[in-house]
Amino acid sequence: MGDEPPTYEAEPTTLPVVDPEELRDLVPDTVLEGARYGTLTLRAASLRGDSARYRGEPRRDALLAVRFGIGDSALVLVAVASGQPAAPGVHRVARELCEWIAEAVGRNQARLTEDIHTANRGALSSGLHRLTDRAYGRLRAGATVRGLAPADHTASVRCLLLPAHPACRTRVFFGVGDGGLFRLRDGVWQDLEPAGGEQDTAGGPVLGYGGGRPSAQQPPHPPNPPYAQADPSSAAPTDPDPDPDTAPAHGPFRFRASVARPGDTLLLCSAGLAEPLRGEAALADRLAERWDSAEAPGLAAFLADAQTGVKGYADDRTAAAVWEA
């Protein structure tokens, strides 16, 4: 897409250098995930950017898709994280952040599922805010142990909570930092990115595509959250900043709960895809044409769409899309 072809080759060239003592630290070039529950179909992909492929650098983006519980009471979490550019070990930071949030969500799965089914948005917002802050507290503790600046030992993270029950179409987004949240409805992209610090944006305005992201705001002090007592990490001694009202260093907390309609496609993505989607109309048009369908594409087709090249955009890309039957 664009006036000129992308700068880098479309396929991987150089493998990252690896320490023989740290082989568990390897990051695959590309990850694919997919699932179907009730009325929703999930497709997710994370791929190394063309620039990182050319330079032999590891993928900084992390993708985690997990299910907690069984049957109609199950809850699916999709977490996407992006490490800081040019910082050491950022791929580990992104993966750890996804895992820590997943641990907290899993421990509180029953209560979270109940709050989603009953549309208890206040409890969801405040509780998820606290769980997210605790994960960032662990990152800050890790930076201190390693003698790193907290600003270098952090990552953006964005998450979706998807209930498996077919009668519940509530979709919950939360996160911190850069990226995008979009909805494809009736062939038109809508930018759903909530302003930082909003405790309930379910009824807030929806920006038209291309309107830019809202300006960041400082988050207000949330009420005492419902999930803290059930979360052992809330009292973890590794958290150097036990104040839950302290915003993560990477940016304000963002939250949105929305009700999906049949035919919607909800897209959560890292900045590597959000930026070209906002900045190159041809890419937005192509993905709208490809994804505005009743059936979700297969994994291979979704990957091909997600890695569509755009001149001037060569960062890692991670995308998770939900098709509503």
Side-chain angles (χ1 to χ4, degrees):
M1 295 291 126
D3 298 332
E4 301 177 44
T7 303
Y8 302 98
E9 296 183 38
E11 300 298 334
T13 52
T14 305
L15 290 171
V17 175
V18 65
D19 185 335
E21 303 297 327
E22 301 290 342
L23 291 178
R24 293 184 178 181
D25 208 30
L26 283 172
V27 182
D29 178 271
T30 302
V31 172
L32 281 172
E33 289 284 5
R36 178 175 294 172
Y37 294 99
T39 61
L40 67 87
T41 300
L42 171 68
R43 295 288 180 261
S46 183
L47 56 146
R48 195 162 49 129
D50 293 340
S51 176
R53 285 172 167 177
Y54 178 78
R55 292 178 170 83
E57 298 172 350
R59 175 166 50 88
R60 293 184 292 107
D61 278 9
L63 168 67
L64 181 65
V66 291
R67 172 177 62 106
F68 300 109
I70 59 175
D72 288 346
S73 63
L75 183 65
V76 175
L77 167 71
V78 182
V80 172
S82 300
Q84 291 286 83
V90 292
H91 55 293
R92 291 190 296 271
V93 173
R95 184 178 66 246
E96 289 174 350
L97 190 56
C98 290
E99 291 175 351
W100 291 338
I101 289 178
E103 288 175 8
V105 168
R107 284 191 293 265
N108 293 280
Q109 179 259 330
R111 181 63 184 273
L112 281 165
T113 303
E114 178 184 354
D115 287 340
I116 292 173
H117 286 183
T118 59
N120 191 348
R121 295 183 177 93
L124 286 167
S125 177
S126 59
L128 293 170
H129 191 170
R130 189 182 190 92
L131 298 183
T132 304
D133 278 356
R134 293 302 177 185
Y136 275 93
R138 295 177 71 174
L139 282 185
R140 290 192 294 269
T144 300
V145 170
R146 294 174 174 86
L148 301 173
D152 294 332
H153 195 74
T154 189
S156 297
V157 67
R158 354 200 86 226
C159 304
L160 281 177
L161 289 176
L162 308 169
H165 199 294
C168 183
R169 288 187 181 267
T170 301
R171 310 295 179 237
V172 175
F173 159 83
F174 66 98
V176 172
D178 298 329
L181 179 67
F182 305 92
R183 180 171 61 207
L184 183 60
R185 176 173 287 176
D186 299 328
V188 177
W189 284 111
Q190 299 171 329
D191 193 337
L192 304 183
E193 183 74 4
E198 293 185 14
Q199 294 302 298
D200 184 1
T201 58
V206 174
L207 300 181
Y209 177 81
R213 49 184 306 190
S215 58
Q217 304 171 4
Q218 291 300 318
H221 296 303
N224 197 26
Y227 315 125
Q229 299 304 317
D231 179 7
S233 69
S234 66
T238 57
D239 187 350
D241 185 1
D243 181 3
D245 296 339
T246 300
H250 202 76
F253 178 76
R254 303 179 190 276
F255 171 86
R256 176 181 285 274
S258 61
V259 178
R261 297 180 187 174
D264 282 354
T265 300
L266 185 66
L267 173 64
L268 173 77
C269 56
S270 65
L273 181 59
E275 290 177 1
L277 192 59
R278 291 185 174 114
E280 178 56 66
L283 177 65
D285 292 343
R286 175 180 174 82
L287 294 185
E289 179 183 358
R290 296 280 297 171
W291 293 349
D292 186 27
S293 61
E295 292 292 329
L299 289 177
F302 179 76
L303 174 62
D305 294 336
Q307 66 183 359
T308 301
V310 181
K311 176 70 174 180
Y313 300 95
D315 290 340
D316 293 353
R317 288 188 185 180
T318 303
V322 179
W323 275 259
E324 301 287 348

